[in-house]
Amino acid sequence: MKVNISRKEEIIIYNSYSLSFTEYFRYGILGIIIVFGFSYIFYDSILASILLLPFLIPYFKLIKKKLCNRQQNKLKEEFKELCISLVAQMTAGYSIENSFKESYQEMGELYGEDSYICKELKIILGKLKNNISIEDSIAQLAIRSGNQDIRLFSEVLAIGKRSGGDLISIVRSAALNLAEKADAEREIRSIISEKQFEQMIMNIIPLVMISYVKLSSPEMMVVMYQTTVGRIIMSVCFVIYIAAFLLGKKIMEIEV
């Protein structure tokens, strides 16, 4: 596979995420549906839907955080495979620079030319063509990635290049470290997946119960929607529900 570095590749900042117009539209529609759903369940009021629209701001922040974590995890997984490929190329006798060139083909076959790692390899090889060193290019990627493992790899690679150290051992150690962390993350996700499912059910049950009572015996809910005390009670329940949802989500976010 020939490396096309003639065109300028997009520089991606992995530790932040900007929604496209299509994503804003898609997630915005979903957010509005959620807002109207909560206003129907807790307040039975169109006015409440309008008053709850500011909740779309933290909603979009959560969406951006989720998508940002997704692209960081994808880059980390692809970078791990790159390190494994680099070890194989360097063991075969290639220099570190030529190993990056040879690894591009393997990464392209594994993830496709539009993958994050192939885009980054094009940037690195383009800079190499302009006499910018591999370690400087990786250092810039480490800053943009926001990933500690890539940053450590960059620092150790730079030290190894300056001191004439064993680069094969350095890259092999980085690949092993990334693989071990990936295995640990998979094991943790497997352990907590059942709890995450239980949390999802617990989040849904209160909404289902209120909706069932509202639809089957609407007269029982009139006092909660049409009196001041009832609206206060429903507002307190709404706040408790959102707090419990965020707390549960926070507990399930385990970093390795």
Side-chain angles (χ1 to χ4, degrees):
M1 183 183 295
K2 185 179 179 181
V3 185
N4 181 16
I5 58 176
S6 59
R7 63 185 181 89
K8 188 175 181 180
E9 291 297 326
E10 176 190 4
I11 301 298
I12 303 174
I13 309 298
Y14 295 93
N15 55 5
S16 66
Y17 194 92
S18 298
L19 294 172
S20 65
F21 175 79
T22 302
E23 288 173 325
Y24 264 115
F25 180 79
R26 183 170 68 249
Y27 289 113
I29 293 296
L30 178 60
I32 291 173
I33 292 173
I34 293 172
V35 165
F36 273 82
F38 276 113
S39 64
Y40 171 78
I41 292 173
F42 285 94
Y43 298 103
D44 193 26
S45 169
I46 297 296
L47 177 60
S49 301
I50 299 174
L51 295 176
L52 290 177
L53 284 177
F55 278 91
L56 290 177
I57 297 175
Y59 162 79
F60 275 116
K61 288 183 179 179
L62 287 175
I63 293 296
K64 286 181 179 180
K65 183 179 179 181
K66 178 181 177 181
L67 296 177
C68 180
N69 289 338
R70 182 184 297 174
Q71 73 177 5
Q72 283 185 307
N73 290 335
K74 192 170 186 294
L75 174 65
K76 182 168 61 175
E77 175 65 26
E78 293 175 0
F79 190 83
K80 179 198 73 174
E81 296 297 331
L82 171 63
C83 289
I84 294 173
S85 176
L86 288 173
V87 171
Q89 302 299 337
M90 294 170 69
T91 302
Y94 288 100
S95 66
I96 183 68
E97 290 79 10
N98 286 329
S99 294
F100 273 89
K101 293 178 182 178
E102 295 297 322
S103 293
Y104 177 85
Q105 179 175 352
E106 188 173 338
M107 293 300 101
E109 294 173 352
L110 188 60
Y111 295 112
E113 287 193 69
D114 291 330
S115 62
Y116 290 139
I117 198 63
C118 280
K119 289 180 179 179
E120 293 301 333
L121 283 172
K122 287 180 183 179
I123 293 173
I124 291 171
L125 297 177
K127 290 180 178 179
L128 188 62
K129 190 177 180 180
N130 293 323
N131 297 319
I132 299 175
S133 66
I134 287 290
E135 54 268 32
D136 288 341
S137 299
I138 295 294
Q140 292 174 16
L141 170 59
I143 294 172
R144 290 188 287 109
S145 71
N147 183 270
Q148 183 180 5
D149 296 312
I150 299 178
R151 180 179 62 81
L152 290 174
F153 175 83
S154 168
E155 293 173 355
V156 175
L157 178 63
I159 294 172
K161 286 274 287 184
R162 286 197 299 267
S163 63
D166 187 356
L167 292 180
I168 297 178
S169 296
I170 291 173
V171 177
R172 182 183 290 113
S173 176
L176 180 61
N177 181 53
L178 287 169
E180 288 176 348
K181 292 192 71 173
D183 291 340
E185 288 175 346
R186 278 194 293 269
E187 185 175 349
I188 290 173
R189 282 195 294 267
S190 176
I191 293 172
I192 68 174
S193 59
E194 183 178 345
K195 298 301 179 182
Q196 288 176 325
F197 180 75
E198 291 176 2
Q199 181 198 3
M200 183 183 69
I201 297 299
M202 291 173 66
N203 290 335
I204 293 174
I205 286 176
L207 304 179
V208 172
M209 290 177 64
I210 296 174
S211 300
Y212 176 76
V213 174
K214 180 178 171 59
L215 293 173
S216 61
S217 303
E219 65 279 357
M220 294 179 61
M221 297 296 293
V222 169
V223 67
M224 305 303 294
Y225 295 136
Q226 297 184 3
T227 65
T228 301
V229 174
R231 290 167 183 158
I232 292 174
I233 292 174
M234 293 302 286
S235 295
V236 171
C237 292
F238 177 69
V239 171
I240 292 174
Y241 177 85
I242 296 297
F245 172 81
L246 294 176
L247 178 61
K249 189 175 184 302
K250 184 68 175 178
I251 291 173
M252 292 299 173
E253 291 178 353
I254 301 176
E255 294 185 4
V256 181

